[in-house]
Amino acid sequence: MINQIYAYSFFLFESFLKKKDIYYLNILKKKFKKIGIGFGLGKDYSVLNAKYIEIGNGFWASHRFRLEAIDSYENQSFSPKIVIGNNVTFNPDCHIGCIDIIQIGDNCLFASKVFISDHNHGDLTKEFIKIPPGKRPLTSKGGIIIGNNVWVGENVSILSGVTIGENSIIAANAVVTKDVLPNTVVGGVPAKVIKEIG
């Protein structure tokens, strides 16, 4: 009897948490610049400045997803824009940071621990080295464009100023610092072409 009471209490508590999650998710959805149908987020997500973010239909991001459109940092101001297409999936622990533009096409799949950032904390100059990293101005080499049907592997970093062509595959642990042609597989640090697809 006591086990049944505990089980029922746990069920009620779990139902309460689900309702609370849905409530806060519905509040967040109203803050986006544009949001499609079939939108879902796992637990412990973080979204900064949703007003600069557009997301299409069929979006899912798993636990601990960080999506940041940064419009100010220290004394700097930015006009960030994040556009995510239809049927895009992010697995756990992915992080997107934007001060310029990050655009992701349709039908893209991102494995866990993917980092996408169009900016750095300063440049490699003597002046910036004298400033603590957290106080350095944010700099960007340009936005990031990811085409349709791209598959990004585990623990990949995609850095500023790159275009990733459609149907490409980024192998696990790669660091993308240059453009990726459509229909290619790239891997390594920095990422280089491994093979062409089809």
Side-chain angles (χ1 to χ4, degrees):
M1 182 69 175
I2 292 177
N3 287 341
Q4 290 175 332
I5 293 171
Y6 282 134
Y8 184 67
S9 298
F10 181 76
F11 169 76
L12 289 176
F13 182 68
E14 195 172 54
S15 297
F16 166 77
L17 290 178
K18 284 181 183 177
K19 287 178 184 176
K20 182 180 168 191
D21 289 344
I22 291 168
Y23 172 78
Y24 284 114
L25 190 61
N26 286 332
I27 290 174
L28 174 65
K29 285 166 71 172
K30 293 175 184 175
K31 295 180 180 180
F32 284 98
K33 184 174 183 181
K34 179 184 172 189
I35 193 81
I37 58 172
F39 173 86
L41 286 174
K43 294 184 178 185
D44 302 322
Y45 58 83
S46 172
V47 177
L48 177 66
N49 291 322
K51 62 187 175 183
Y52 302 115
I53 302 169
E54 301 175 34
I55 297 177
N57 299 325
F59 175 87
W60 169 251
S62 193
H63 306 316
R64 297 172 299 279
F65 183 61
R66 287 176 59 192
L67 184 59
E68 300 170 337
I70 301 164
D71 60 2
S72 63
Y73 184 80
E74 296 291 323
N75 295 321
Q76 297 175 280
S77 295
F78 306 102
S79 299
K81 183 177 182 182
I82 299 174
V83 180
I84 299 174
N86 298 317
N87 305 314
V88 174
T89 299
F90 287 89
N91 281 284
D93 301 303
C94 291
H95 177 194
I96 298 174
C98 176
I99 63 171
D100 188 354
I101 182 169
I102 295 176
Q103 185 172 324
I104 298 170
D106 298 337
N107 306 310
C108 292
L109 174 62
F110 296 84
S112 301
K113 300 175 184 150
V114 173
F115 175 62
I116 302 170
S117 176
D118 68 356
H119 61 279
N120 301 310
H121 283 271
D123 292 322
L124 300 176
T125 63
K126 289 181 182 178
E127 292 78 24
F128 282 123
I129 295 297
K130 296 173 185 175
I131 303 170
K135 296 290 184 181
R136 294 176 192 165
L138 299 181
T139 61
S140 177
K141 294 179 183 175
I144 295 170
I145 308 297
I146 299 174
N148 296 332
N149 306 314
V150 171
W151 176 17
V152 178
E154 183 98 4
N155 204 39
V156 166
S157 294
I158 300 171
L159 305 182
S160 63
V162 301
T163 296
I164 297 176
E166 63 182 13
N167 306 316
S168 58
I169 298 172
I170 314 299
N173 300 309
V175 177
V176 181
T177 59
K178 294 182 180 177
D179 290 353
V180 175
L181 294 174
N183 307 306
T184 56
V185 179
V186 300
V189 181
K192 295 179 182 176
V193 175
I194 296 172
K195 66 182 287 186
E196 294 183 5
I197 301 171

